[in-house]
Amino acid sequence: MKIFDISMPIHYHMPVYKNKEEKRPQLKTVQDFRTATAYESRIDMDMHTGTHIDAPLHMINGGDTIDYLDLSKVITPCKVIDLTHLEQQITREDLLGKEIEKGDFILFKTKNSYDEGFNPEFIFLEKSGAKYLAEIQIKGVGIDALGIERSQPNHETHLQLFQAGIVILEGLRLKEVEEGEYFLYAAPLYIKGAEAAPARAILIKE
């Protein structure tokens, strides 16, 4: 058995969406051994920083929050699809012929996994690709970018996926992972009322 940690390390200098300062995580020491008998700290971070799962409330008024997520959707067999040859976006045409079936959880490996910092031109899932996945009725989709879409008015990709009940997992690191079948563990923190939550994403290869 081989374990691949496909999560982003959380620290102040990590890549954050559009390099926004307010999205940088802040780890602060609350007490240390100079003043107490135990060490404790506190973290302040955006729910969409690093590896995380979006809930429908992120884009849909009145949508479900992250605590309603069925964990069987994120602790599941999955397929990694290598799309590192793409330069701009993932469209329906790019997915035709791939072995994507109803109930699959799909992870897209792209050039994003090789970026050291935030790339504003990151590869994303274009709305036609999202519509195709919705038609197939997959379980979930993950991508190695901090957003599953960019430069699309009205967030068509998110909406196509959420309306089809598809889980969105963002901020993966797939550089060391080859195309193929794995078992995914990507449970989000159990935060009531949140529109997203950080997740520790791990792939298992038997």
Side-chain angles (χ1 to χ4, degrees):
M1 180 178 74
K2 189 165 185 180
I3 299 173
F4 297 89
D5 189 345
I6 57 171
S7 310
M8 296 178 69
I10 301 296
H11 59 94
Y12 178 79
H13 298 289
M14 70 184 293
V16 294
Y17 194 73
K18 294 186 177 179
N19 294 316
K20 293 181 177 180
E21 187 64 22
E22 63 269 24
K23 289 190 176 293
R24 297 198 175 281
Q26 303 276 353
L27 181 64
K28 299 179 181 179
T29 301
V30 175
Q31 64 180 40
D32 60 25
F33 295 111
R34 296 174 299 175
T35 58
T37 58
Y39 191 101
E40 295 184 6
S41 58
R42 179 186 303 273
I43 192 165
D44 181 359
M45 64 181 286
D46 191 282
M47 292 295 190
H48 303 270
T49 294
T51 307
H52 64 279
I53 293 176
D54 286 345
L57 179 62
H58 180 41
M59 293 294 175
I60 299 174
N61 188 10
D64 281 348
T65 51
I66 199 68
D67 45 307
Y68 284 92
L69 176 66
D70 178 355
L71 290 181
S72 69
K73 288 189 171 184
V74 292
I75 302 175
T76 178
C78 74
K79 296 176 181 176
V80 175
I81 296 179
D82 191 326
L83 297 174
T84 52
H85 63 285
L86 297 181
E87 297 292 340
Q88 293 292 330
Q89 58 192 9
I90 303 168
T91 67
R92 180 188 187 95
E93 287 68 30
D94 298 314
L95 300 178
L96 293 174
K98 302 295 183 182
E99 294 184 4
I100 302 175
E101 301 173 328
K102 180 178 180 179
D104 280 347
F105 200 116
I106 301 297
L107 305 183
F108 292 130
K109 178 181 179 178
T110 75
K111 293 180 182 293
N112 300 330
S113 281
Y114 299 87
D115 289 332
E116 295 298 325
F118 177 75
N119 180 0
E121 300 299 317
F122 63 85
I123 310 298
F124 69 100
L125 178 62
E126 188 262 348
K127 60 184 180 181
S128 69
K131 186 173 186 294
Y132 179 69
L133 296 178
E135 291 170 353
I136 295 175
Q137 299 178 24
I138 67 166
K139 179 187 302 182
V141 60
I143 194 166
D144 51 1
L146 289 172
I148 201 162
E149 66 180 317
R150 65 171 173 83
S151 304
Q152 291 190 134
N154 303 317
H155 309 291
E156 292 102 330
T157 289
H158 275 90
L159 292 176
Q160 289 274 2
L161 298 174
F162 283 143
Q163 289 166 356
I166 296 171
V167 175
I168 300 175
L169 173 60
E170 300 173 329
L172 301 176
R173 297 287 85 186
L174 297 169
K175 182 178 179 180
E176 306 300 328
V177 179
E178 296 182 355
E179 183 172 88
E181 297 185 4
Y182 298 83
F183 199 93
L184 170 70
Y185 293 83
L189 293 180
Y190 195 12
I191 304 173
K192 290 186 69 67
E195 85 293 346
R200 185 70 178 265
I202 296 169
L203 291 180
I204 305 293
K205 185 73 170 178
E206 296 293 342

